[in-house]
Amino acid sequence: MTATNKQVRRYWVMKSEPSAFSIDDLKKQRKTSWDGIRNYQVRNLIRDEISVGDIALFYHSSSDSIGVAGEMEVISQAYADLTQFNKKDSHFDPKSSKDDPTWLCLDVKFIEKYNQIILLKDIKSLPVMKDSRLVSRGNRLSVFEISKEQYEAVKALAEVG
DNA sequence: GCCAACGTTGGC
DNA sequence: GCCAACGTTGGC
């Protein structure tokens, strides 16, 4: 066993409607289970691609100020999302079984809330974001990857304020 | 396995 | 609240 198993940190965007769960909610709770994912592409991403230690931008969608509200860190691997088994939960999935759960979630912890939301319209003006899902119309993935350069460009917008 | 209909997402 | 985009479902 050599000490060369350190992974390169990857960067993600995770979307949430702030009326359901916002950066302020995460700040208060310090960490949360990012559950309710009901899209196969996103499930496969969190299962196969996202690692503990990765960074995710917290994106507020469908709200008065659409954009990136802050940052969080992934603190667990993917595991079974319990809401799929709860009949009273809006994410209940009658086709899923406990032996072979269809849906997964993972845990994230609060890192930072930006002083102001980095608005989508400002993100769109960054050349480095041109081909990102973040600015593409009709992007329905609630979790997707961005490059380190893109992450840094967005973060720089938060710092100039 | 194709593809039209349907349902949901999400920016405006 | 509208509607375009697009993932999912279901009939064939």
Side-chain angles (χ1 to χ4, degrees):
Chain A
M1 191 87 95
T2 55
T4 53
N5 57 353
K6 189 175 179 237
Q7 291 185 49
V8 175
R9 172 178 266 175
R10 295 170 78 177
Y11 299 86
W12 309 90
V13 174
M14 297 172 81
K15 296 194 283 197
S16 176
E17 294 194 20
S19 58
F21 187 79
S22 73
I23 189 82
D24 290 320
D25 296 322
L26 179 62
K27 187 176 182 181
K28 242 176 286 173
Q29 292 174 216
R30 306 313 294 175
K31 61 179 186 175
T32 195
S33 163
W34 202 269
D35 57 18
I37 292 167
R38 296 293 181 270
N39 171 288
Y40 289 102
Q41 289 179 60
V42 173
R43 181 203 64 186
N44 295 349
L45 269 184
I46 70 164
R47 185 188 62 198
D48 304 332
E49 304 293 332
I50 301 185
S51 310
V52 172
D54 284 0
I55 298 292
L57 296 177
F58 194 132
Y59 181 84
H60 281 185
S61 64
S62 302
S63 70
D64 289 343
S65 335
I66 295 164
V68 175
E71 281 180 41
M72 51 201 171
E73 182 179 339
V74 176
I75 57 168
S76 84
Q77 293 186 293
Y79 60 95
D81 177 350
L82 293 179
T83 63
Q84 71 199 304
F85 305 124
N86 181 356
K87 283 193 177 125
K88 291 178 186 152
D89 195 285
S90 62
H91 298 293
F92 176 64
D93 183 350
K95 288 178 292 188
S96 185
S97 74
K98 288 194 172 167
D99 293 339
D100 185 18
T102 308
W103 304 112
L104 305 173
C105 61
L106 47 67
D107 293 343
V108 293
K109 76 170 183 192
F110 177 80
I111 295 181
E112 180 183 5
K113 178 188 176 183
Y114 297 148
N115 290 330
Q116 62 281 308
I117 289 178
I118 306 171
L119 297 173
L120 177 60
K121 70 176 175 59
D122 294 327
I123 294 170
K124 281 183 172 169
S125 72
L126 296 171
V128 71
M129 297 308 296
K130 189 166 134 349
D131 298 318
S132 173
R133 287 205 130 96
L134 191 47
V135 299
S136 71
R137 183 177 177 74
N139 169 34
R140 306 183 53 184
L141 292 186
S142 61
V143 177
F144 54 92
E145 188 169 19
I146 54 172
S147 69
K148 186 163 195 265
E149 291 69 31
Q150 290 170 334
Y151 161 78
E152 283 167 357
V154 171
K155 196 173 165 62
L157 281 183
E159 280 152 9
V160 295

